[in-house]
Amino acid sequence: MLPAPPPFSHGDFVAVLSRCATLAHLKQLHAHSVVTARASTQPTTFHLLRFASLRLSCLPYARRLFDSTPYPNVFLYSAMLSAYAAASPAQAYARDALALFLRMLRRVRSAPNQFVYPLVLRAACVVGVQLVKSIHSHAYKSGFHAHDVIRTSLLDGYSRYGMMLDARKLFDGLTDRNVVSWTALLSGYTRAGKVGDAIVLFERMPERDVAAWNAMIAGCTQNGLFLEALGICSRMVEEGFRPNGTTVACVLSACGHLGMLKIGKVIHGYAWRSYVGFGSSVVNGLIDMYGKCGTLKGARWMFDEFSDKSLTTWNCLINCLALHGHSKSAIAVFGEMRDAGIEPDEVTFVGLLNACTHGGFVDEGLTYFELMCDELGIEPEIEHYGCIIDLLGRAARFEDVMNVIKDMKVQPDEVIWGSLLNACRIHRQLELAEFAIRKLMQLNPNNVNYVVMLANLYSEGGSWEQVTKIRKLMQEDMGKKVPGCSWIEVDRKTHMFYSGDDTHPVSEDICNTLVELAASMEMCQD
DNA sequence: ATAGGGTTAG
């Protein structure tokens, strides 16, 4: 029999714990605590549990520590709940967290306190608004709803489900409004698409911190206001705040959407110099930015160098390859991803199906769609139907297209009919095109572009009677038409082009180059 | 010990 280990003060224990770097170290200390009978005290279990979950992200071990305690106190419950709350992805342990809360309510010794509600609400948020409501009423009955932190959690919960009136009510009822509550309300408005309200709120905020700036920047990019996002970021820097990884990720996304490679590179340089760290959201943002700006080598390089690849990392690369017509590479990366044991999600398939469309791989695309629905059990969304209709339409399989549209569980939207229309134009299907345009006009009667399309269609088809009829319609509407526009930055000068616009000084050269490009693209597909 | 900000999509 070995002699008992020497006694250990609580201070020694905490000091040793802080030097643990691996689960093996922690297990040794745990074993030592068992032998010295320290493990049966709740403060010890509390420290071991927090360390296992927050520093080592080993939740199963944390849960075993918790389960080894016969009558856990509130501290242990909340330590376990914050372990679940900190886990990523958020929904992974939400149900465990809620089950633990229910168990807590049945025990006499561990009535929830004010610290427990925010943790449980975080889990409730990702499960459903019904749970947020239940916990709200529970907090009301137990009298904890008066705490500002709990009200802020509730505010956040309602705002995630677009219930801005309830969120506003909670905000107005707070005794002290701080940056956190202002930011929670602001994000609610941007998630609901009310950027205008959010900007008003942002300007009126008495105090801002980095998270508040980030919320405003993210709110802009999520609503397509990319230039505004960049503007707010520079304002943030001017006012003396240091952008962090979250800021960088949002701003990179804006650069990608705008095709602003130069600014994107400046941000990359900032990330490097300022030690914001190359965490997954920054790296994913870089892959996306380089990819969208056409620097696929840069995107691929970032991808290969990054060891902590997540599902999103793979999705970014597949999507960028598909976007630029590198269909075979995109499909190959999808294969690599599966070999690496990463389970694709609905976003992966949007990119993959897009790749199949651009490469003309019709049957392959349909096979992947089946794989998604039947084998992986992913419910197709309107995005996927958009891809499939594009895929079939470009291959002139109009009967199949109509069957897909008929069998869809979701209502067809403008993109669906737009894809069909596009296919009809390629294959000169006048009748079906007219049908699609009429559907589009029903969905969006204010868009005069559809009338123009119809006119173009008839003039191409040669039915002069109809052209004159439509011309009349157009004359009434043309004044309202907003011309399509694109732009490119060359040597710090922005050149803008409207559709059908030949006023640029070198317009002829540009058009000739476009013809050449189209020819060489045909020659070297993928 | 508790609350707010994060990248990918037809």
Side-chain angles (χ1 to χ4, degrees), chain A residues 248-249 252-253 255-256 261 264 268 278-321 323-324 333:
Chain A
V248 167
L252 282 172
S253 157
C255 291
L261 178 61
H268 189 171
F278 287 83
S280 69
S281 49
V282 170
V283 175
N284 296 340
L286 283 166
I287 294 171
D288 178 62
M289 186 278 294
Y290 281 119
K292 280 211 178 82
C293 294
T295 318
L296 284 166
K297 269 189 195 158
R300 184 78 214 207
W301 188 84
M302 293 297 313
F303 179 85
D304 290 335
E305 290 294 303
F306 190 45
S307 53
D308 195 21
K309 296 179 185 59
S310 70
L311 174 60
T312 306
T313 316
W314 290 90
N315 286 350
C316 286
L317 185 65
I318 292 174
N319 183 40
C320 289
L321 289 167
L323 206 64
H324 290 283
V333 172

Side-chain angles (χ1 to χ4, degrees), chain A residues 321-400:
Chain A
L321 289 167
L323 206 64
H324 290 283
H326 295 268
S327 314
K328 286 192 180 143
S329 316
I331 293 168
V333 172
F334 178 73
E336 285 173 44
M337 173 183 176
R338 300 215 75 192
D339 291 341
I342 309 283
E343 177 99 332
D345 71 350
E346 65 280 358
V347 180
T348 320
F349 281 98
V350 175
L352 188 67
L353 293 173
N354 216 348
C356 294
T357 303
H358 288 147
F361 307 134
V362 186
D363 294 322
E364 217 167 338
L366 292 174
T367 312
Y368 285 130
F369 186 66
E370 274 172 29
L371 170 78
M372 176 183 101
C373 306
D374 303 342
E375 273 182 57
L376 299 176
I378 299 173
E379 187 69 28
E381 292 164 34
I382 192 120
E383 282 88 351
H384 302 107
Y385 288 117
C387 295
I388 287 294
I389 285 158
D390 218 14
L391 187 75
L392 292 167
R394 282 168 197 265
R397 290 168 60 169
F398 290 102
E399 245 190 81
D400 295 329

